[in-house]
Short mmCIF file of all heavy atoms in Angstrom, two decimals:
data_model
loop_
_atom_site.label_atom_id
_atom_site.label_comp_id
_atom_site.label_asym_id
_atom_site.label_seq_id
_atom_site.Cartn_x
_atom_site.Cartn_y
_atom_site.Cartn_z
N LEU M 1 -60.61 -31.07 -15.26
CA LEU M 1 -62.00 -31.76 -15.30
C LEU M 1 -62.87 -31.20 -14.25
O LEU M 1 -64.07 -30.98 -14.46
CB LEU M 1 -61.78 -33.16 -15.01
CG LEU M 1 -61.20 -34.05 -16.11
CD1 LEU M 1 -60.84 -35.42 -15.75
CD2 LEU M 1 -62.02 -34.07 -17.42
N ASP M 2 -62.33 -30.83 -13.02
CA ASP M 2 -63.19 -30.31 -11.89
C ASP M 2 -63.76 -28.90 -12.37
O ASP M 2 -64.93 -28.71 -12.16
CB ASP M 2 -62.19 -30.18 -10.74
CG ASP M 2 -62.95 -29.93 -9.37
OD1 ASP M 2 -64.17 -30.35 -9.28
OD2 ASP M 2 -62.35 -29.20 -8.51
N TYR M 3 -63.01 -28.11 -13.03
CA TYR M 3 -63.42 -26.85 -13.53
C TYR M 3 -64.57 -27.05 -14.57
O TYR M 3 -65.58 -26.42 -14.49
CB TYR M 3 -62.27 -26.02 -14.09
CG TYR M 3 -62.56 -24.59 -14.40
CD1 TYR M 3 -62.24 -23.58 -13.46
CD2 TYR M 3 -63.30 -24.26 -15.51
CE1 TYR M 3 -62.62 -22.28 -13.78
CE2 TYR M 3 -63.59 -22.95 -15.80
CZ TYR M 3 -63.27 -21.94 -14.91
OH TYR M 3 -63.50 -20.64 -15.24
N LEU M 4 -64.23 -27.85 -15.50
CA LEU M 4 -65.23 -28.03 -16.59
C LEU M 4 -66.59 -28.56 -16.04
O LEU M 4 -67.59 -28.04 -16.60
CB LEU M 4 -64.66 -29.05 -17.63
CG LEU M 4 -63.59 -28.54 -18.49
CD1 LEU M 4 -62.86 -29.77 -19.17
CD2 LEU M 4 -64.11 -27.68 -19.59
N VAL M 5 -66.57 -29.48 -15.16
CA VAL M 5 -67.87 -30.08 -14.69
C VAL M 5 -68.57 -29.30 -13.73
O VAL M 5 -69.75 -29.44 -13.47
CB VAL M 5 -67.69 -31.53 -14.25
CG1 VAL M 5 -67.18 -32.47 -15.46
CG2 VAL M 5 -66.86 -31.64 -13.07
N HIS M 6 -67.91 -28.27 -13.03
CA HIS M 6 -68.57 -27.56 -12.05
C HIS M 6 -68.93 -26.09 -12.43
O HIS M 6 -69.84 -25.46 -11.88
CB HIS M 6 -67.73 -27.48 -10.73
CG HIS M 6 -67.79 -28.74 -9.91
ND1 HIS M 6 -66.81 -29.69 -10.08
CD2 HIS M 6 -68.70 -29.20 -9.10
CE1 HIS M 6 -67.18 -30.67 -9.28
NE2 HIS M 6 -68.27 -30.42 -8.61
N VAL M 7 -68.35 -25.63 -13.51
CA VAL M 7 -68.68 -24.30 -13.86
C VAL M 7 -69.76 -24.12 -14.95
O VAL M 7 -70.46 -23.28 -15.04
CB VAL M 7 -67.36 -23.55 -14.40
CG1 VAL M 7 -67.65 -22.24 -15.07
CG2 VAL M 7 -66.43 -23.44 -13.20
N ALA M 8 -69.96 -25.24 -15.65
CA ALA M 8 -70.91 -25.29 -16.76
C ALA M 8 -72.35 -25.39 -16.17
O ALA M 8 -72.61 -26.00 -15.28
CB ALA M 8 -70.61 -26.42 -17.71
N SER M 9 -73.36 -24.80 -16.97
CA SER M 9 -74.76 -24.95 -16.71
C SER M 9 -75.35 -26.14 -17.58
O SER M 9 -76.53 -26.35 -17.37
CB SER M 9 -75.46 -23.65 -17.11
OG SER M 9 -75.01 -22.67 -16.23
N GLY M 10 -74.64 -26.60 -18.56
CA GLY M 10 -75.15 -27.67 -19.39
C GLY M 10 -73.91 -28.21 -20.16
O GLY M 10 -72.87 -27.63 -20.25
N PHE M 11 -74.15 -29.43 -20.76
CA PHE M 11 -73.07 -30.12 -21.49
C PHE M 11 -73.50 -30.73 -22.80
O PHE M 11 -74.64 -31.24 -22.85
CB PHE M 11 -72.63 -31.29 -20.56
CG PHE M 11 -72.15 -30.80 -19.23
CD1 PHE M 11 -73.13 -30.70 -18.18
CD2 PHE M 11 -70.92 -30.47 -18.90
CE1 PHE M 11 -72.73 -30.23 -16.91
CE2 PHE M 11 -70.53 -29.98 -17.65
CZ PHE M 11 -71.43 -29.93 -16.63
N ILE M 12 -72.67 -30.67 -23.80
CA ILE M 12 -72.84 -31.43 -25.00
C ILE M 12 -71.56 -32.23 -25.22
O ILE M 12 -70.53 -31.76 -25.10
CB ILE M 12 -72.99 -30.39 -26.25
CG1 ILE M 12 -74.31 -29.59 -26.07
CG2 ILE M 12 -72.99 -31.14 -27.53
CD1 ILE M 12 -74.47 -28.49 -27.14
N VAL M 13 -71.77 -33.46 -25.53
CA VAL M 13 -70.70 -34.43 -25.79
C VAL M 13 -70.72 -34.84 -27.23
O VAL M 13 -71.72 -35.41 -27.74
CB VAL M 13 -70.89 -35.76 -24.83
CG1 VAL M 13 -69.66 -36.61 -25.08
CG2 VAL M 13 -71.08 -35.29 -23.38
N LEU M 14 -69.62 -34.46 -27.88
CA LEU M 14 -69.43 -34.85 -29.36
C LEU M 14 -68.73 -36.15 -29.36
O LEU M 14 -68.35 -36.76 -28.34
CB LEU M 14 -68.68 -33.70 -29.99
CG LEU M 14 -69.15 -32.29 -29.92
CD1 LEU M 14 -68.20 -31.31 -30.53
CD2 LEU M 14 -70.63 -32.22 -30.61
N GLU M 15 -68.52 -36.64 -30.63
CA GLU M 15 -67.70 -37.81 -30.81
C GLU M 15 -66.34 -37.64 -30.22
O GLU M 15 -65.77 -36.51 -30.38
CB GLU M 15 -67.62 -38.17 -32.29
CG GLU M 15 -68.95 -38.65 -32.84
CD GLU M 15 -68.89 -38.97 -34.33
OE1 GLU M 15 -67.73 -39.22 -34.81
OE2 GLU M 15 -69.97 -38.98 -35.00
N GLY M 16 -65.79 -38.66 -29.68
CA GLY M 16 -64.39 -38.48 -29.15
C GLY M 16 -63.90 -39.82 -28.69
O GLY M 16 -64.41 -40.87 -29.00
N SER M 17 -62.85 -39.87 -27.93
CA SER M 17 -62.16 -41.03 -27.48
C SER M 17 -62.10 -41.14 -25.93
O SER M 17 -63.11 -40.64 -25.31
CB SER M 17 -60.74 -41.09 -28.10
OG SER M 17 -60.15 -42.43 -27.79
N ILE M 18 -61.08 -41.68 -25.35
CA ILE M 18 -61.18 -41.79 -23.93
C ILE M 18 -61.16 -40.60 -23.05
O ILE M 18 -61.87 -40.55 -22.01
CB ILE M 18 -59.95 -42.74 -23.40
CG1 ILE M 18 -58.63 -42.18 -23.66
CG2 ILE M 18 -60.15 -44.17 -23.98
CD1 ILE M 18 -57.43 -42.84 -23.08
N GLY M 19 -60.62 -39.48 -23.47
CA GLY M 19 -60.79 -38.20 -22.78
C GLY M 19 -62.15 -37.78 -22.79
O GLY M 19 -62.67 -37.34 -21.76
N THR M 20 -62.84 -37.88 -23.87
CA THR M 20 -64.28 -37.47 -24.00
C THR M 20 -65.14 -38.38 -23.14
O THR M 20 -66.07 -37.90 -22.43
CB THR M 20 -64.69 -37.53 -25.49
OG1 THR M 20 -63.91 -36.71 -26.23
CG2 THR M 20 -66.19 -37.05 -25.63
N LEU M 21 -64.80 -39.71 -23.16
CA LEU M 21 -65.56 -40.61 -22.28
C LEU M 21 -65.31 -40.29 -20.82
O LEU M 21 -66.21 -40.32 -20.02
CB LEU M 21 -65.12 -42.04 -22.61
CG LEU M 21 -65.57 -42.65 -23.93
CD1 LEU M 21 -64.93 -44.01 -24.15
CD2 LEU M 21 -67.07 -42.66 -24.01
N ALA M 22 -64.13 -39.93 -20.37
CA ALA M 22 -63.82 -39.59 -19.09
C ALA M 22 -64.71 -38.36 -18.63
O ALA M 22 -65.29 -38.31 -17.55
CB ALA M 22 -62.40 -39.19 -18.88
N GLU M 23 -64.78 -37.35 -19.54
CA GLU M 23 -65.61 -36.17 -19.29
C GLU M 23 -67.11 -36.50 -19.16
O GLU M 23 -67.76 -36.04 -18.22
CB GLU M 23 -65.34 -35.13 -20.38
CG GLU M 23 -63.94 -34.55 -20.31
CD GLU M 23 -63.46 -33.89 -21.63
OE1 GLU M 23 -64.05 -34.18 -22.68
OE2 GLU M 23 -62.47 -33.12 -21.54
N LEU M 24 -67.52 -37.32 -20.11
CA LEU M 24 -68.93 -37.77 -20.06
C LEU M 24 -69.19 -38.51 -18.70
O LEU M 24 -70.15 -38.22 -18.00
CB LEU M 24 -69.23 -38.74 -21.22
CG LEU M 24 -70.62 -39.54 -21.12
CD1 LEU M 24 -71.76 -38.64 -21.13
CD2 LEU M 24 -70.56 -40.54 -22.28
#
């Protein structure tokens, strides 16, 4: 999660469950 949220310049959140909600 640390890598995903610090390396990206932008984010798109698709439909998902608790893992997707945690990322959001």
Side-chain angles (χ1 to χ4, degrees):
L1 292 169
D2 196 26
Y3 190 100
L4 286 164
V5 300
H6 283 97
V7 172
S9 297
F11 304 89
I12 296 176
V13 185
L14 304 173
E15 293 179 19
S17 189
I18 61 170
T20 304
L21 290 173
E23 293 159 341
L24 167 63

